[in-house]
Amino acid sequence: MPAGDQDLAEPPEPAARLVFADHLPLARRYAELLATEGVVRGLIGPREAPRLWERHLLNCAVLGEIVPNGSSVVDVGSGAGLPGIVLAVARPDLTVTLVEPMARRTAFLSEAVEALGLGARVPVVRARAEEYPGPPADVVTARAVASLDRLASWCLPLVRPGGRLLALKGESAAEEIAEHRVAITRLGGGTPVIRYCGAEVLDPPTTVVEIVQERSVAPAGGRSRARRR
């Protein structure tokens, strides 16, 4: 295999234990899946294995700092399960639906969910965000999926009133907010706020743009998501 256990860096202590607590062994198992099957299937680059913990697992897991207890979460464009599976591992109180349109990725996600014993609380749905038929969620997450205006158009309809879109972004977060603030408001979102997660364990911390769904806006053309399938 292009990557294996010998290439997989050990989780950094004490950061990993602080973030995953008693669930660290399960996080290790997921890291192994990413470094082996994830690389073989082209979901993770072969050079990512040595830096899976800081760059991916911890980077995603600290998002849980701003996800309320018992939330229903929809992870849009889940890919290899980042951040969806990581959140589900670190936070067993959450129900996390993984939404991904590509068949090879949903196959990996389903196998990973089974291998990790995450069960019914982590369903996998093959669909684009605008096709997702499920009920509105408390939180919708997205990592490296699209610009904020496109994310808002796809994801805010999936959020219940008062719920939140949490978009993992990089250093350009403030610029994106300035550029797309008007579009986000038009789509029913409140003023975007930048949150920094994991400051105690990551340098730099994870940058998250939080957008509250303040009002429901009908999709363009007045069609429901169900009719777009």
Side-chain angles (χ1 to χ4, degrees), residues 72-148:
S72 59
V73 178
V74 171
D75 185 35
V76 167
S78 197
L82 303 164
I85 287 182
V86 179
L87 277 176
V89 168
R91 292 280 306 277
D93 60 297
L94 303 177
T95 299
V96 183
T97 301
L98 309 176
V99 179
E100 167 58 50
M102 294 186 65
R104 66 184 177 88
R105 293 176 178 171
T106 54
F108 173 82
L109 291 172
S110 296
E111 292 168 21
V113 166
E114 182 177 359
L116 298 173
L118 298 176
R121 71 179 181 90
V122 188
V124 178
V125 177
R126 185 184 174 194
R128 296 168 54 150
E130 59 268 40
E131 299 170 334
Y132 175 63
D138 299 317
V139 174
V140 173
T141 59
R143 181 180 191 244
V145 173
S147 59
L148 277 179

Side-chain angles (χ1 to χ4, degrees), residues 85-226:
I85 287 182
V86 179
L87 277 176
V89 168
R91 292 280 306 277
D93 60 297
L94 303 177
T95 299
V96 183
T97 301
L98 309 176
V99 179
E100 167 58 50
M102 294 186 65
R104 66 184 177 88
R105 293 176 178 171
T106 54
F108 173 82
L109 291 172
S110 296
E111 292 168 21
V113 166
E114 182 177 359
L116 298 173
L118 298 176
R121 71 179 181 90
V122 188
V124 178
V125 177
R126 185 184 174 194
R128 296 168 54 150
E130 59 268 40
E131 299 170 334
Y132 175 63
D138 299 317
V139 174
V140 173
T141 59
R143 181 180 191 244
V145 173
S147 59
L148 277 179
D149 58 336
R150 294 169 66 193
L151 275 182
S153 68
W154 297 337
C155 298
L156 284 177
L158 310 184
V159 182
R160 66 165 177 78
R164 295 176 292 171
L165 164 62
L166 300 178
L168 282 76
K169 289 290 182 177
E171 296 179 354
S172 63
E175 295 176 8
E176 281 202 56
I177 289 173
E179 181 178 357
H180 301 301
R181 188 188 305 270
V182 173
I184 291 167
T185 300
R186 185 176 66 247
L187 292 163
T191 301
V193 176
I194 296 178
R195 307 287 190 193
Y196 295 102
C197 299
E200 295 183 359
V201 296
L202 292 175
D203 183 20
T206 300
T207 301
V208 182
V209 176
E210 177 186 65
I211 303 174
V212 175
Q213 207 260 43
E214 293 189 341
R215 56 190 175 85
S216 179
V217 176
R223 296 179 299 172
S224 68
R225 294 195 307 274

